[in-house]
Amino acid sequence: MFKTILMPIDLQETHLAVKAVKIAIDEARKHSAEIHVLTVIPGFGMPLVSTFFPDNTIKDAMKTVAKELKKYIASNIPNDITTHPHIAEGSPAERILNLAVKLKSDLIIIPSHAQSLGQVFLGSCAAKVVEHARCSVMVIKG
């Protein structure tokens, strides 16, 4: 049923993703699916913002984040599951939605730190993804 699972995580708050990772692993095994793990860094490339940073700052940040994401995947997702790391820059909800379309994802498993239903529906990243995604979305509360 699910062949391509997208799982966005915040590398600064990996504790929120513990349950989501377990569920993604279970779903991947159940359906022989691949997991695409996405992390999004802030939009340093915006013209106004980029003037405050040297040219190589974004490239260096992406390299550092790539290493951290690979370490995270190696430590948290078993080798028997095909996993692909992805790094994007900008708005997390937009990048998640764009990658989901590009990959033709069947399922997005997204951790959420919202403590109440009101928070989920008042602008959180998870709420935006749920509202605009073209595929099924599973929101996992931390």
Side-chain angles (χ1 to χ4, degrees):
M1 182 174 187
F2 301 120
K3 294 296 175 196
T4 305
I5 299 171
L6 175 58
M7 187 181 64
I9 62 161
D10 181 343
L11 288 174
Q12 294 181 335
E13 297 190 35
T14 56
H15 64 282
L16 296 174
V18 172
K19 285 187 205 174
V21 170
K22 288 178 183 175
I23 291 169
I25 291 167
D26 287 345
E27 290 299 318
R29 284 189 172 140
K30 206 181 303 182
H31 302 285
S32 298
E34 295 184 349
I35 300 174
H36 292 261
V37 183
L38 169 67
T39 194
V40 181
I41 64 172
F44 294 113
M46 295 172 38
L48 179 62
V49 176
S50 66
T51 61
F52 292 99
F53 297 98
D55 292 340
N56 61 346
T57 301
I58 297 167
K59 289 178 185 174
D60 291 344
M62 294 290 255
K63 285 179 186 176
T64 301
V65 171
K67 287 178 188 174
E68 290 302 313
L69 184 58
K70 286 178 183 176
K71 280 186 205 173
Y72 179 84
I73 290 169
S75 298
N76 292 280
I77 300 177
N79 290 335
D80 65 310
I81 296 173
T82 302
T83 310
H84 306 277
H86 299 271
I87 302 163
E89 175 193 1
S91 161
E94 287 178 22
R95 297 301 170 244
I96 293 165
L97 293 165
N98 290 343
L99 186 59
V101 169
K102 181 180 176 183
L103 297 172
K104 298 179 182 171
S105 297
D106 304 302
L107 176 64
I108 299 170
I109 299 177
I110 186 168
S112 176
H113 65 276
Q115 298 301 311
S116 70
L117 193 59
Q119 279 182 308
V120 172
F121 292 109
L122 290 177
S124 73
C125 178
K128 289 176 187 171
V129 171
V130 168
E131 183 178 350
H132 297 288
R134 296 181 188 171
C135 64
S136 297
V137 179
M138 189 183 298
V139 179
I140 309 301
K141 292 180 89 169

